[in-house]
């Protein structure tokens, strides 16, 4: 029964370093990786492509239940495939991220994707990256970590990422998008973004990814016999 398979649930808002940490943990432990945010982003991308309104709950649920989504993972990166096509870069745009935040606020959509996420729990273990992994999806996870950081620092990180891709961006717009997404995620009626009561909270504002990784591994070793 997969419930005995250990899970490290890593939650937090966008731009705190969840993805980088989870990839590092999965590589270190040789465990499976679930990027739950990618699932919502792929659903949003598919909805945009099919001209489905982001508040049309019934059509979105139908799309979610039949989403041809797969992950192709290696030691370097996790590729996200939609109908066999690599959409990894396309789902990381600000437009798709904003759309994903909107569809993720819908109760029926979250319910439709719940079991799909839980099915990733396979031996020897799972690193789950998201916003409600510890509080809802894997509430029985033996390790729960919540990363946080100031909106200012997250906007700065995002701006550097986009500039590295040679994209022209305005800091004020990025900060506004992050602030609005935080507002939606933290105040939605279903599975709002918040630390699980038993989660280790790490503020990454002034920490390097190595600092965060070391704190996380130390905590994991205390909670799980590896």
């Amino acid at each position: 029964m997969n419930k005995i398979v250990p899970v490290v649930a890593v939650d937090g808002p966008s731009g705190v370093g969840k993805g980088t940490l989870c990839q590092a943990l999965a590589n270190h432990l040789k465990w499976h990786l679930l990027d739950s945010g990618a699932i919502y982003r792929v659903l949003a991308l598919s909805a945009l492509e099919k001209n489905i309104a982001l508040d049309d709950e019934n059509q979105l649920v139908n799309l979610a239940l039949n989403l041809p989504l797969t992950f192709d993972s290696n030691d370097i990166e996790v590729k996200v495939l939609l109908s066999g096509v690599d959409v990894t870069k396309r789902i990381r745009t600000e437009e798709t991220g904003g759309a994903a935040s909107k569809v993720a606020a819908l109760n029926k959509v979250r319910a439709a994707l719940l079991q799909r996420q839980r099915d990733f729990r396979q031996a020897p273990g799972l690193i789950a990256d998201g916003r409600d992994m510890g509080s809802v999806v894997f509430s029985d996870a033996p390790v729960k970590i919540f990363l946080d950081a100031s909106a200012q620092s997250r906007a700065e990180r995002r701006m550097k990422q986009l500039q590295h891709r040679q994209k022209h961006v305005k800091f004020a717009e990025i900060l506004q998008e992050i602030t609005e997404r935080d507002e939606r995620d933290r105040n939605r009626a279903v599975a709002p973004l918040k630390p699980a009561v038993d989660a280790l909270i790490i503020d990454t504002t002034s920490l390097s990814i190595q600092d965060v990784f070391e704190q996380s591994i130390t905590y994991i070793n205390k909670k799980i016999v590896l």
Side-chain angles (χ1 to χ4, degrees):
M1 192 173 179
N2 71 353
K3 276 199 173 183
I4 63 172
V5 174
V7 174
V8 173
V10 181
D11 293 310
S14 61
V16 291
K18 297 193 307 292
T20 305
L21 173 63
C22 288
Q23 183 75 53
L25 291 174
N27 289 342
H28 179 78
L29 297 172
K30 305 301 181 188
W31 284 11
H32 299 288
L33 174 64
L34 165 61
D35 179 353
S36 67
I39 297 178
Y40 286 98
R41 284 172 177 264
V42 170
L43 176 61
L45 177 65
S46 186
L48 292 171
E49 289 182 339
K50 296 177 182 295
N51 293 315
I52 295 175
L54 299 178
D55 59 355
D56 189 335
E57 203 161 15
N58 290 332
Q59 282 206 63
L60 287 169
V61 166
N62 184 57
L63 188 60
L65 292 173
N66 299 283
L67 198 63
L69 165 69
T70 53
F71 293 99
D72 182 11
S73 179
N74 57 48
D75 289 341
I76 301 173
E77 64 178 347
V78 178
K79 291 184 179 179
V80 184
L81 308 177
L82 177 60
S83 298
V85 178
D86 186 352
V87 294
T88 310
K89 291 182 179 178
R90 292 179 62 198
I91 66 170
R92 298 302 174 193
T93 65
E94 293 302 301
E95 179 190 14
T96 306
S101 179
K102 292 176 182 177
V103 301
L106 302 175
N107 189 7
K108 291 181 181 178
V109 172
R110 300 196 73 84
L113 291 176
L114 187 59
Q115 189 57 49
R116 187 158 197 166
Q117 294 171 82
R118 287 176 173 161
D119 288 341
F120 279 85
R121 190 175 196 169
Q122 301 292 333
L126 176 68
I127 307 296
D129 169 352
R131 283 171 169 73
D132 64 344
M133 296 296 97
S135 58
V136 177
V137 182
F138 301 107
S139 58
D140 64 338
V143 179
K144 299 171 185 176
I145 299 171
F146 189 92
L147 303 186
D148 210 346
S150 69
Q152 180 87 11
S153 68
R154 290 187 283 132
E156 289 170 357
R157 293 172 190 172
R158 182 60 178 159
M159 187 166 184
K160 287 178 182 177
Q161 287 177 343
L162 294 172
Q163 287 176 335
H164 183 68
R165 298 176 196 167
Q166 298 183 327
K167 293 191 176 185
H168 178 69
V169 290
K170 293 181 179 179
F171 179 79
E173 292 178 358
I174 295 174
L175 181 59
Q176 181 179 353
E177 286 169 355
I178 285 177
T179 302
E180 290 176 354
R181 193 178 306 175
D182 283 354
E183 181 73 13
R184 271 198 306 272
D185 292 346
R186 294 181 191 274
N187 295 302
R188 64 190 177 211
V190 182
L193 171 65
K194 63 179 181 180
V197 292
D198 52 346
L200 170 69
I201 300 175
I202 302 176
D203 189 327
T204 71
T205 301
S206 58
L207 297 178
S208 69
I209 185 57
Q210 186 61 32
D211 292 332
V212 178
F213 175 79
E214 289 175 359
Q215 284 191 37
S216 299
I217 283 293
T218 299
Y219 185 65
I220 290 168
N221 287 330
K222 287 180 180 178
K223 303 288 284 187
I224 302 177
V225 177
L226 299 173

